[in-house]
Amino acid sequence: MTGGLMDRLSAEAGAAPVVAAAEAEADEEADPPAAGLPTPQISERRDPYPNRMQMPQGNPLLLSYTLQELLARDTVQVELIPEKKGLFLKHVEYEVSSQRFQSSVYRRYNDFVVFHEMLLHRFPYRMVPALPPKRVLGADREFIESRRRALRRFINLVARHPPFSEDVALRLFLSFSGPDVQNKLKESTQCVGDEFMNCKLAPRAKDFLPADIQTQFAVSRELIRNIYNSFYKLRDRAERIASRAIDNAADLLVFGKELSALGSDTTPLPSWAALNSSTWGSLKQALKGLSVEFALLADKAAQQGKQEENDVVEKLNLFLDLLQSYKDLCERHEKGVLHKHQRALHKYSLMKRQMMSAAVQSREPDSVEQLESRIVEQENAIQTMELRSYFSLYCLHQEMQLVHVYLPLTSHILGAFVNSQIQGHKEMSKVWNDLKPKLNCLFAGPNSSLTLSRSPQDGVSPH
């Protein structure tokens, strides 16, 4: 065996070693290429993973889902329940309710964190949405509500993702009502490899990829970056529009209260100012009643702002979370599996150089055999990393299709925005029109000939 390898090394002595372009320094000892991940021996003829998922029929690269089908998979509600005081801090808990599993369970933020870690372990080459940040101290109501919304978006994206929705971890998280869901989640993934280890298609992923997959990956990544930037700006403006509606509601309410306060003023009126006229008394009576209409206007404006937050801003945030998860996946692909592959190649090159040096210097056979064994192991590891690289690209190709399945959500968002504006302005217009005749009484009086001025649209100039 040693002699055959020595002959092969001698034949390769004049050839340049296979080293990645971005390899580390030559004297750096690289870590194992797939630390924490199983590395099957390529020489094994039998299937070492009899529990692999069966290979799908047809072209497994193509997805055939519609947006309606994804949304119909499940709808999960995340509601805040009253805070429980611990020894030092208040604990925030959420009631998580799933339509699909007909379940309602209580979860804390740390439960979401463990579940998120399980997903990254099981599906490192898929779009795992990010969790909202954790704030230990000073979590005000606004922060808690923002985090609740983000957790709801996270769990709905996960529950509707095809591979995630069939995983045991999701079922446990949404339906297990035992005392320690975190340990239950960890137990469910013990001795279970990631998706690469459990998919029969994984070793053949390269066969289904287009020849220009690297070019397509680069173009897709740029496209998602551009779409994300545009939707980020749309979300920012939608938030401002909804915020202005809520601010407008507060201003209208204060406006009405000030009119009511003016009408309720009890300061005596001097006789020399009244001139035997009852105008001030009539005006006060009319002003006092206007606060009801302005309160109604404020309520309509607040409803419109809240509706735009829920139906427009939240849907934009959901899509942004999805796009961000694709961007994160691209980074994991490049900084993870590709980087490990490069380091494995670099280590392989160093080992071959050591082997050749040992052969030239005629070292003891035992040391040469040890190097030979290490090289064979490294060759297997490199081939495993190559298979993982192709499987990662395969998953990226599918995840990009999944993003495009969500693109029609744009029409839902625009429809919700338009409907909110139409309904909001329609309802407020009715209140304004009902209010207008009541203003005439402000000018009613025995000695008054004033009438409510008309708008420019009525044909009278405002100047």
Side-chain angles (χ1 to χ4, degrees):
M1 181 176 179
T2 303
L5 182 60
M6 297 285 284
D7 294 339
R8 181 154 54 91
L9 290 173
S10 298
E12 294 175 351
V18 182
V19 185
E23 68 179 11
E25 295 295 332
D27 57 349
E28 176 186 349
E29 179 66 18
D31 295 331
L37 295 175
T39 54
Q41 297 299 315
I42 302 302
S43 59
E44 290 180 333
R45 294 292 183 180
R46 62 183 178 83
D47 186 357
Y49 310 104
N51 295 324
R52 284 183 186 268
M53 294 179 288
Q54 295 299 315
M55 203 176 306
Q57 300 295 323
N59 186 349
L61 190 64
L62 302 180
L63 297 179
S64 58
Y65 302 103
T66 65
L67 177 60
Q68 288 71 24
E69 290 172 341
L70 291 182
L71 297 180
R73 282 177 175 260
D74 200 357
T75 297
V76 185
Q77 299 296 335
V78 178
E79 300 297 339
L80 194 66
I81 63 175
E83 296 177 350
K84 295 183 178 181
K85 293 184 179 180
L87 186 60
F88 299 104
L89 299 172
K90 293 181 179 180
H91 302 311
V92 178
E93 282 192 322
Y94 306 92
E95 183 178 8
V96 182
S97 305
S98 165
Q99 285 187 1
R100 175 187 175 189
F101 297 110
Q102 296 294 299
S103 60
S104 181
V105 294
Y106 296 105
R107 297 288 181 258
R108 293 178 58 183
Y109 177 79
N110 287 338
D111 299 332
F112 281 90
V113 172
V114 172
F115 177 56
H116 183 262
E117 292 172 353
M118 296 301 100
L119 287 176
L120 284 174
H121 170 75
R122 291 279 291 114
F123 302 97
Y125 310 125
R126 299 288 184 180
M127 294 186 298
V128 179
L131 285 176
K134 180 177 183 178
R135 183 185 296 183
V136 179
L137 299 175
D140 54 22
R141 289 179 177 271
E142 184 178 353
F143 171 81
I144 293 175
E145 172 60 17
S146 175
R147 190 170 69 177
R148 182 195 69 81
R149 289 173 177 263
L151 291 174
R152 183 178 62 184
R153 297 194 302 269
F154 162 80
I155 194 62
N156 275 285
L157 284 173
V158 170
R160 293 163 180 170
H161 190 286
F164 301 166
S165 65
E166 303 303 324
D167 193 70
V168 65
L170 177 69
R171 179 181 292 273
L172 285 172
F173 186 80
L174 292 178
S175 61
F176 179 73
S177 57
D180 195 348
V181 68
Q182 295 185 23
N183 281 336
K184 195 70 175 179
L185 286 169
K186 292 174 182 177
E187 290 174 2
S188 70
T189 57
Q190 286 181 351
C191 303
V192 178
D194 61 8
E195 186 183 10
F196 174 80
M197 302 299 297
N198 293 284
C199 179
K200 283 185 173 294
L201 179 144
R204 294 182 51 201
K206 180 181 179 181
D207 299 338
F208 301 100
L209 295 174
D212 60 342
I213 183 61
Q214 294 291 353
T215 301
Q216 289 194 29
F217 167 63
V219 173
S220 297
R221 190 174 187 180
E222 181 66 20
L223 174 62
I224 294 301
R225 184 183 294 113
N226 295 337
I227 294 176
Y228 179 89
N229 291 338
S230 293
F231 270 85
Y232 185 89
K233 294 175 183 177
L234 288 172
R235 192 278 313 274
D236 180 63
R237 295 300 159 177
E239 280 184 335
R240 290 163 64 93
I241 292 171
S243 178
R244 281 200 297 269
I246 295 174
D247 290 342
N248 184 38
D251 291 340
L252 286 168
L253 189 61
V254 172
F255 195 93
K257 287 182 177 179
E258 289 303 319
L259 289 177
S260 179
L262 186 62
S264 302
D265 185 82
T266 57
T267 304
L269 185 67
S271 58
W272 62 270
L275 298 177
N276 300 320
S277 172
S278 61
T279 301
W280 179 236
S282 300
L283 281 172
K284 288 204 303 179
Q285 189 64 30
L287 290 172
K288 188 186 302 184
L290 294 179
S291 63
V292 176
E293 278 73 17
F294 278 93
L296 185 57
L297 285 167
D299 183 61
K300 298 296 183 185
Q303 288 181 16
Q304 181 178 350
K306 292 296 183 182
Q307 184 177 353
E308 288 169 356
E309 281 185 345
N310 294 329
D311 296 344
V312 180
V313 176
E314 270 303 288
K315 285 186 174 66
L316 285 168
N317 278 326
L318 179 76
F319 193 53
L320 281 172
D321 289 349
L322 178 74
L323 295 174
Q324 183 63 53
S325 67
Y326 185 84
K327 293 171 63 180
D328 294 343
L329 177 59
C330 291
E331 290 190 10
R332 287 204 304 274
H333 172 75
E334 291 190 334
K335 296 181 179 179
V337 64
L338 290 185
H339 179 65
K340 289 178 180 178
H341 189 199
Q342 290 171 352
R343 297 181 72 180
L345 288 172
H346 172 62
K347 186 175 181 179
Y348 178 67
S349 174
L350 291 178
M351 293 171 65
K352 287 185 68 176
R353 291 174 186 172
Q354 293 175 9
M355 187 67 184
M356 293 174 62
S357 176
V360 171
Q361 297 175 12
S362 300
R363 291 185 178 177
E364 296 179 1
D366 289 344
S367 63
V368 175
E369 288 182 359
Q370 290 176 359
L371 279 173
E372 175 188 359
S373 177
R374 290 176 58 194
I375 287 176
V376 171
E377 291 177 359
Q378 191 68 9
E379 286 176 343
N380 287 330
I382 288 173
Q383 189 167 352
T384 299
M385 291 309 302
E386 287 178 348
L387 292 176
R388 283 186 172 273
S389 296
Y390 285 118
F391 184 68
S392 178
L393 286 170
Y394 166 86
C395 292
L396 274 165
H397 197 293
Q398 282 198 328
E399 298 301 273
M400 183 61 178
Q401 293 178 66
L402 197 60
V403 170
H404 279 267
V405 173
Y406 270 95
L407 277 176
L409 192 65
T410 306
S411 62
H412 292 235
I413 296 170
L414 292 176
F417 178 66
V418 171
N419 289 335
S420 172
Q421 292 294 316
I422 292 174
Q423 186 66 22
H425 287 295
K426 180 180 178 181
E427 292 182 0
M428 292 192 69
S429 177
K430 183 180 184 304
V431 179
W432 283 117
N433 285 325
D434 291 342
L435 174 62
K436 186 175 180 180
K438 297 181 180 180
L439 299 182
N440 289 326
C441 64
L442 294 175
F443 306 97
N447 301 319
S448 176
S449 60
L450 294 174
T451 58
L452 191 63
S453 61
R454 293 180 294 174
S455 64
Q457 286 78 4
D458 293 327
V460 178
S461 172
H463 303 294

